[in-house]
Amino acid sequence: MEKVNYKELIQTILTQHSGNDLDTETEVQLLFDTERDHYHVVHLGWDEQQRVYGCVIHVDIKDSKIWIQRDRTETGIANELAAAGVPKENIVLAFKAPYLRQFTEFAVG
């Protein structure tokens, strides 16, 4: 089986999630630090008089594993990565407390 290029796959999946699905005039930014392996999707701008700023997705690559720091998607980035060929033992749900990760089908760390 061919090894999956994590950097490229993460960028592809996050780009697919960068569509503006909010009912506001906010901007969606893709922030890719490929040198240090940090990847983000951020919503920012204004909705009338209300400031909008939030990280929707934050993924890191550490020690040859994909660490999902934040995932505010319906599908779940972990599920998309697994469907694309990333072994579940290489995906860490970092937004879950370390003692809870053992109860998921993904890596603990």
Side-chain angles (χ1 to χ4, degrees), residues 3-37:
K3 183 163 171 44
V4 178
N5 183 320
Y6 290 170
K7 291 181 185 214
E8 288 180 11
L9 180 59
I10 291 168
Q11 290 177 62
T12 298
I13 289 174
L14 268 58
T15 298
Q16 293 169 355
H17 284 278
S18 67
N20 191 345
D21 58 354
L22 299 177
D23 293 331
T24 63
E25 295 293 322
T26 61
E27 177 183 354
V28 178
Q29 290 186 349
L30 293 171
L31 307 172
F32 297 157
D33 179 351
T34 57
E35 187 176 315
R36 293 173 198 85
D37 290 324

Side-chain angles (χ1 to χ4, degrees), residues 66-108:
I66 298 173
W67 289 68
I68 302 172
Q69 306 291 353
R70 182 160 182 89
D71 183 359
R72 302 287 302 214
T73 67
E74 281 190 36
T75 310
I77 298 300
N79 295 321
E80 293 182 56
L81 291 165
V86 177
K88 290 184 178 181
E89 60 267 15
N90 288 348
I91 301 170
V92 179
L93 303 179
F95 57 85
K96 293 204 176 282
Y99 74 92
L100 291 175
R101 294 180 198 157
Q102 64 183 320
F103 303 113
T104 72
E105 56 190 305
F106 298 98
V108 295

